Amino acid sequence: MVEMKSTITWTGDMAFTGTTPSGHELRMDAAPEVGGQNSGPRPTELLLYSLAGCTGIDIVMILKKMRLELTGFAMEVEGARADTEPKKFTDFHIHYSVEGDLTEDKVVRAIQLSKDKYCSVSHSLSANIVASYSINGVKGNQVL
């Protein structure tokens, strides 16, 4: 079992600062309307960002193992949250825009492997995750 540990310290109002297990300092804060100072991202924003980053890293690694070369890669991630407390995420949609000399079947395979097998962030969530993609600006036909 791999364990990760971080200490996060309250720094006043609604702000917290900590150092990640890899040694990077991170600050989180709340919006001014709930007592924060907007001095850092919200924890829910970081969750959205983490999901995209986790799958993105997987996809790059998988495509490299397939000996495919990316010339561009961007992700747009959206999260839908429940209206009632605890206002958890209920759905995520990630659109992957990849560029390079790529085949659709291999891009789809890389996305599916990340989504279904490798991304530890997505497997830690109970929300529905939907993925779509475009290759060199052409939207793919499959919703994953």
Side-chain angles (χ1 to χ4, degrees):
M1 175 177 276
V2 177
E3 292 187 24
M4 297 175 76
K5 183 179 179 181
S6 184
T7 301
I8 294 98
T9 305
W10 177 57
T11 59
D13 294 326
M14 297 293 163
F16 293 83
T17 302
T19 303
T20 66
S22 59
H24 300 279
E25 188 172 303
L26 184 63
R27 182 175 179 86
M28 296 177 283
D29 199 359
E33 57 267 18
V34 294
Q37 300 298 315
N38 195 31
S39 65
R42 318 293 178 260
T44 50
E45 292 172 340
L46 291 171
L47 185 60
L48 201 66
Y49 197 81
S50 295
L51 175 61
C54 182
T55 62
I57 289 168
D58 288 343
I59 291 165
V60 168
M61 287 174 50
I62 293 164
L63 292 174
K64 283 185 176 194
K65 285 182 182 177
M66 293 178 177
R67 299 191 184 335
L68 297 173
E69 191 172 325
L70 287 166
T71 58
F73 185 22
M75 295 168 283
E76 185 175 298
V77 60
E78 297 177 33
R81 294 179 64 194
D83 292 331
T84 58
E85 296 297 339
K87 297 185 182 178
K88 73 176 199 148
F89 282 105
T90 57
D91 293 278
F92 292 100
H93 180 236
I94 307 170
H95 182 82
Y96 303 97
S97 297
V98 294
E99 296 191 15
D101 187 16
L102 306 164
T103 60
E104 183 174 5
D105 62 325
K106 292 192 177 184
V107 170
V108 167
R109 181 73 178 137
I111 293 169
Q112 286 177 320
L113 281 169
S114 176
K115 184 178 175 228
D116 299 337
K117 185 174 183 179
Y118 293 114
C119 179
S120 57
V121 174
S122 66
H123 288 280
S124 300
L125 302 171
S126 63
N128 181 44
I129 301 170
V130 176
S132 62
Y133 60 94
S134 57
I135 302 170
N136 296 320
V138 178
K139 189 166 179 165
N141 296 324
Q142 300 180 50
V143 175
L144 311 169

